[in-house]
Amino acid sequence: MEHPDYQEDARFPQIPPPYSEKQPYNQQPPPANGPGNPAMPTQYQAYYAPHGAVPGQGPVIQPPLHTNFVVPVQPTREPDYLAYSIFTMLCCCLPLGIAALVYSVRTRDANQTGNGAEAQRNSRMARNLAHSALGVGLVLVIVYIVLIVVT
């Protein structure tokens, strides 16, 4: 090392001092809002008026520039086909039923947020997927019955 007081003996590694539970000194930390702390609460900080303001005049109050009106969203009433999707998922065709269930939940969310176009699109997709799952399930049942009767 380059420190002038540093002396290293290669034969004896330096052993650090043992850990002590006692504090090395009894100095108290400075108070949180004391004179030495620059983070002074705002209530005690000086007020500086804007450039060009007359001293003693007080703060200048300006009216708001824009007014925003919040209009509550009306929920839409598109059918979500949730029960139909669950039925086709459990009884007919699992993959198409899961897809129909996902679109049913999306339809329900869009209905609650008032997004009519998205609710209508998701409702139509859920219905088409549920119909497809039902059709695939019926075809599989018919094929199974035919195979059982023939053999």
Side-chain angles (χ1 to χ4, degrees):
M1 289 272 163
E2 297 174 8
H3 194 273
D5 295 336
Y6 182 77
Q7 295 174 355
E8 182 176 323
D9 190 0
R11 294 175 291 152
F12 302 108
Q14 291 184 352
I15 301 172
Y19 176 74
S20 173
E21 293 281 334
K22 192 172 103 176
Q23 294 292 334
Y25 53 89
N26 291 330
Q27 182 179 1
Q28 297 293 327
N33 295 327
N37 192 354
M40 187 182 300
T42 56
Q43 62 197 24
Y44 298 118
Q45 291 180 356
Y47 170 74
Y48 296 104
H51 182 69
V54 179
Q57 187 179 26
V60 178
I61 299 174
Q62 295 179 347
L65 298 176
H66 300 287
T67 304
N68 295 330
F69 294 102
V70 178
V71 178
V73 177
Q74 296 295 326
T76 57
R77 302 291 294 166
E78 290 295 325
D80 58 3
Y81 301 105
L82 186 64
Y84 185 33
S85 300
I86 292 172
F87 172 76
T88 57
M89 180 183 69
L90 296 176
C91 299
C92 299
C93 181
L94 184 67
L96 290 174
I98 289 174
L101 181 67
V102 168
Y103 279 100
S104 296
V105 171
R106 285 185 182 178
T107 302
R108 182 171 282 190
D109 292 342
N111 276 336
Q112 289 178 350
T113 59
N115 192 348
E118 184 179 352
Q120 187 178 21
R121 184 175 59 246
N122 289 334
S123 175
R124 187 178 311 119
M125 183 63 83
R127 184 192 63 213
N128 291 341
L129 286 170
H131 285 338
S132 299
L134 183 66
V136 168
L138 289 176
V139 167
L140 288 176
V141 167
I142 292 171
V143 167
Y144 180 73
I145 292 173
V146 167
L147 288 176
I148 294 296
V149 170
V150 170
T151 59

